[in-house]
Amino acid sequence: MAVLQASPPFTRNALAVLFERSNFKAFQQPGAPSHFWAPLISACSGARRDEIFFLTPDDIRRFDGTYFFLLKPTAPGQGRPGIAARSIPLHPLLLRLGLPEWIETRRQTQPQQRIFSEYKALREHAGLPFSRAFVQWIKATAERLPPAQRHLFAEDFHFPSLRALFLAEAGRAGMDDAVARAIRGTEGGTPPAERDASWRALAAAELARVDIESCFPPLDPYRELLA
């Protein structure tokens, strides 16, 4: 079985155009919080689309003052390896943008539903319609640019390009190898966050050193952008 080619990471210049405030706001839809959160969760954690779209409120939990994504294992398929269960701290950018507060609202109002239930889960997959909407947003953004700027989107950017950006920035930051391997999930998972305080401290410190926020233009918190 052939292994699928990895997507190229987004460039900072492309992100500056794509996530410019008015353009990012135009991508938002009523009742679709995934249009705000899903791209940023991927860019801040390296989580894959299916992992993100299967998250429930109980999969974002706080231990000793640090919030974590508790990602479930996934089976191999379509040329991709299986992914181990793992714990990934929330990046400071997600904290600043208000993810914990939004999750707490979901915990109180829809505790059993996936947090992005606006897009159906199709058997083992979730969020495929979102991926299509995301690519259409990229294409529409590129088409509005003057010809001299369209080279910014010459590469074939897709939703996985956000994960590729995170991995590239983690490498640039010199993330501890053991933490980097564990966050990728392809070479063994991380110790459960609720059982290993030393892992929590190390992983949170290493993730905070990844300067993902500088890759984006200034981003408004969720509630401010949607106000």
Side-chain angles (χ1 to χ4, degrees), residues 27 34-35 38-39 42 48-50 52-53 80 119-120 125-139 157-162:
F27 181 54
S34 58
H35 281 230
S42 186
R48 296 158 176 82
R49 185 197 70 206
D50 287 353
I52 293 169
F53 277 84
R80 296 187 179 92
Y119 285 107
K120 293 182 179 180
H125 296 294
L128 184 57
F130 170 83
S131 284
R132 292 170 179 158
F134 185 77
V135 169
Q136 287 303 313
W137 178 49
I138 293 172
K139 291 181 177 178
F157 297 129
H158 290 79
F159 188 72
S161 296
L162 294 163

Side-chain angles (χ1 to χ4, degrees), residues 21-39 53 102 106 115-120 129-138 140 222 225-227:
R21 188 182 191 280
S22 62
N23 196 56
F24 190 30
K25 188 164 185 175
F27 181 54
Q28 307 308 306
Q29 293 184 10
S34 58
H35 281 230
F36 183 92
W37 289 118
F53 277 84
W102 180 75
R106 292 294 295 236
I115 62 173
F116 303 131
S117 56
E118 64 268 24
Y119 285 107
K120 293 182 179 180
F130 170 83
S131 284
R132 292 170 179 158
F134 185 77
V135 169
Q136 287 303 313
W137 178 49
I138 293 172
Y222 177 69
L225 186 70
L226 272 66

